[in-house]
Each structure stands twice: as structure tokens, then as C-alpha cells.
Amino acid sequence: EEAAVPEIFTETPAAAPAPSLTHDEQENILIYERLNRAVVNISTEVMTWNWFFESVPQEGGSGSGAIIDKEGYILTNKHVVEKAYKVYVTIADGTTFEGKVVGVDYENDLAVVKIEPGDRDLTVIEFGDSSALRVGQKVLSAMKEPLPPVSSRVWDAPWSLLPRTST
């Protein structure tokens, strides 16, 4: 004799209604979908010394960056590529390129890395104009997770600091 299956396991649950999105949420989603492919993962190798004073490559730092030019220029933080012997850039489709640090701004913790994308059509995040930015305005940040599974995040937050000027 077959056991009866409780009714709660045989009913097909009703589909959950799609959540209504605010205008702000819709805008964030559109920006993410349009620009997510411009956020990259950066990993590095650094040189260290073993007990015999021989140089040995070792895994270095990792972080994210943003493609800022179709020619393969990427903006990241200086501390991500600091002391790097080799720089690797992984783009949204999973392709990894060896990159080269071509510029560093020590005071602002910024660096520019260059890759050779060949004939790839890179998605670019354009620079905005922050001259009219006010404390409390919403800004979006993007990040690519450095460890598998590689994923992207975007979040918004109010801008909380303006550059100081000396008089």
C-alpha cells in the first residue's frame, strides 16, 4: 500500500509576484547591466626572497579596476599593484591578460594598468564630472570579487567628503 503524500508537498506553489522596483533601483540595475563588463579583476605576483637569498615569485595582491579606454587602460588602486612583478587582468568574459603598470599617483592611491586587448570591443566606464558634487549625493561603486566564483557587485552610498582646499 502506497503512503499518502501530504497535500503541502503536492500543491504547486503560486509564483511569487515580481517585486516592484523604485525608479532609483531601476536606474541602478540599468547602469549595472550597461557597465558591469567594464569592471575587471586584477591579481599580481611579487618577488620575494627564499632562505638562500634567491628571488622567488609569489602571489601578490588582488583587487578590482575599471576599463577607462578602448585601448586597454584600466584604473585601479596603487596598493593593488604595489611591488608587482607581474600584473594579470581578467575581463568579464573570463579572458586574462598580462598587464603593465603605466602610471601611479601615490598621493591618491591610484594606478593605471595597460593591457593589449587586440580587436576586442571593450566596455568603458567614462569619467564623470565631480566639480558640482555635493555631500549627500548618491554615488555608485563597483567591484569585481577577486576569488572564485568571480562576481561583480555594485552599491550606492551618499558621498560623504569633498576635497579640502587650503586658503
Side-chain angles (χ1 to χ4, degrees):
E1 187 172 304
E2 197 171 307
V5 177
E7 193 174 305
I8 60 169
F9 295 115
T10 60
E11 290 181 7
T12 304
S20 59
L21 301 173
T22 66
H23 175 74
D24 196 45
E25 289 170 326
Q26 291 173 15
E27 191 173 75
N28 289 353
I29 291 167
L30 288 173
I31 291 169
Y32 174 82
E33 289 173 348
R34 191 182 60 165
L35 298 175
N36 173 47
R37 299 186 65 75
V39 180
V40 301
N41 172 262
I42 298 174
S43 58
T44 65
E45 286 183 20
V46 295
M47 283 297 207
T48 60
W49 303 96
N50 66 16
W51 291 100
F52 303 106
F53 297 104
E54 299 168 321
S55 60
V56 178
Q58 179 179 331
E59 186 176 312
S62 63
S64 58
I67 301 171
I68 57 172
D69 180 281
K70 292 269 187 192
E71 301 298 316
Y73 289 95
I74 297 159
L75 183 65
T76 189
N77 292 104
K78 173 194 66 78
H79 68 264
V80 171
V81 296
E82 195 166 35
K83 300 180 183 175
Y85 161 68
K86 290 191 176 185
V87 177
Y88 301 101
V89 177
T90 304
I91 62 174
D93 69 4
T95 304
T96 299
F97 296 89
E98 191 164 337
K100 178 180 178 187
V101 178
V102 295
V104 176
D105 178 344
Y106 293 95
E107 185 176 328
N108 294 298
D109 188 34
L110 295 173
V112 176
V113 173
K114 173 77 168 82
I115 62 170
E116 296 299 332
D119 60 356
R120 289 180 189 273
D121 186 24
L122 298 176
T123 301
V124 172
I125 294 180
E126 297 175 12
F127 283 103
D129 178 4
S130 62
S131 64
L133 189 63
R134 296 177 57 194
V135 171
Q137 276 187 281
K138 179 182 82 170
V139 295
L140 295 178
S141 295
M143 181 178 98
K144 190 77 79 177
E145 293 291 336
L147 300 173
V150 176
S151 63
S152 297
R153 293 183 186 183
V154 66
W155 63 93
D156 65 355
W159 191 255
S160 61
L161 179 68
L162 292 176
R164 297 180 186 185
T165 57
S166 54
T167 55

